[in-house]
């Protein structure tokens, strides 16, 4: 197995809400403290030099404290990004559909937060809305004319 490429520490920020450096990336205040799993050395524990708090490099991401295997979670995200349905994704990956629903919610919330953080001061001069065609089935029969009840 080849060694894992780690994300540079400048991409992370302190996760402690009481820290003055919370949310500030690339401040040089983070250092690797230990490993979450010493055998695999895949996930780092980081320590903030400002507030002295420790946290996993996955804190603040959908992968934090995830029990689903990483390969399955990545495949799940790819299926959802391609527009596959909940039940189809669950069937293809061999997971429960509630797991897919929970991950769909987690990934959506994280995507929204990332968008809010990164997309700033955009002035739209022109927008084009493409059509989305979908079939909406009828749930009821035709409506009857209004008649008094017997």
């Amino acid at each position: 197995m080849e060694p894992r490429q780690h994300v540079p520490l400048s991409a992370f920020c302190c996760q402690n809400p009481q820290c003055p450096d919370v949310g500030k990336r690339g401040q040089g205040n983070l250092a690797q403290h230990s490993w979450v799993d010493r055998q695999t050395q895949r996930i780092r524990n980081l320590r903030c030099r400002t507030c002295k708090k420790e946290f996993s490099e996955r804190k603040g991401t959908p992968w934090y404290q995830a029990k689903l295997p990483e390969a399955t979670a990545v495949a799940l995200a790819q299926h959802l990004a391609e527009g596959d349905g909940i039940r189809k994704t669950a069937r293809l990956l061999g997971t429960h559909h509630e797991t897919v629903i929970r991950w769909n919610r987690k990934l959506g919330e994280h995507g929204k937060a990332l968008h809010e953080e990164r997309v700033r001061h955009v002035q739209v001069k022109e927008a084009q809305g493409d059509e989305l065609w979908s079939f909406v089935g009828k749930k009821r029969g035709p409506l009857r004319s209004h008649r008094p009840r017997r």
Side-chain angles (χ1 to χ4, degrees), residues 90-147:
R91 189 174 54 252
L92 290 172
L93 298 177
T95 61
H96 195 270
H97 71 275
E98 290 293 331
T99 303
V100 178
I101 291 169
R102 186 174 60 252
W103 273 87
N104 189 25
R105 187 175 302 117
K106 283 171 66 169
L107 292 168
E109 289 169 357
H110 184 70
K112 180 180 178 185
L114 183 65
H115 182 269
E116 295 296 323
E117 177 187 333
R118 298 286 174 104
V119 179
R120 301 269 181 197
H121 311 296
V122 176
Q123 294 183 358
V124 179
K125 295 186 186 237
E126 183 178 327
Q128 178 180 352
D130 292 336
E131 290 181 35
L132 177 67
W133 186 90
S134 65
F135 176 77
V136 178
K138 275 196 314 189
K139 301 284 184 188
R140 292 188 252 161
L143 294 176
R144 293 187 237 165
S145 62
H146 185 64
R147 294 185 302 184

Side-chain angles (χ1 to χ4, degrees), residues 4-7 9 12 32-46 55-59 61 63-66 68 70:
R4 183 169 185 228
Q5 298 293 323
H6 289 286
V7 177
L9 292 179
F12 298 101
Q32 181 176 341
H33 183 261
S34 61
W35 298 98
V36 171
D37 183 3
R38 290 189 178 146
Q39 277 97 16
T40 61
Q41 295 187 349
R42 293 167 36 108
I43 304 168
R44 299 174 287 189
N45 271 333
L46 307 177
F55 55 92
S56 166
E57 70 180 331
R58 288 189 171 180
K59 185 162 174 96
T61 72
W63 315 112
Y64 183 61
Q65 295 183 335
L68 198 63
E70 188 173 349

